[in-house]
Amino acid sequence: MSEETVPQQAAAAGRPKGLLEQMEELMAALNADLSALDADLQSAGGSGREEGDAG
């Protein structure tokens, strides 16, 4: 696996191992949340921005 070479690269760069993996997981979770929010907004009608959001 490529993960076997990551600790050497991470140690050379001075970064904790697994940081890239943690960031990828956070980005995937954020993407899922944004996709769900987008679906909710689209199912709500979309034109409700003008009427519902006075800002």
Side-chain angles (χ1 to χ4, degrees):
M1 289 189 166
S2 63
E3 291 179 358
E4 295 174 2
T5 60
V6 171
Q8 294 173 353
Q9 294 171 352
R15 296 184 200 134
K17 70 175 184 176
L19 181 60
L20 179 60
E21 183 178 350
Q22 291 175 19
M23 291 300 296
E24 288 175 345
E25 289 174 2
L26 287 171
M27 291 300 293
L30 178 60
N31 191 27
D33 289 344
L34 289 175
S35 295
L37 178 60
D38 183 45
D40 289 345
L41 291 174
Q42 288 184 10
S43 68
S47 62
R49 278 183 55 192
E50 297 174 19
E51 297 172 359
D53 278 344

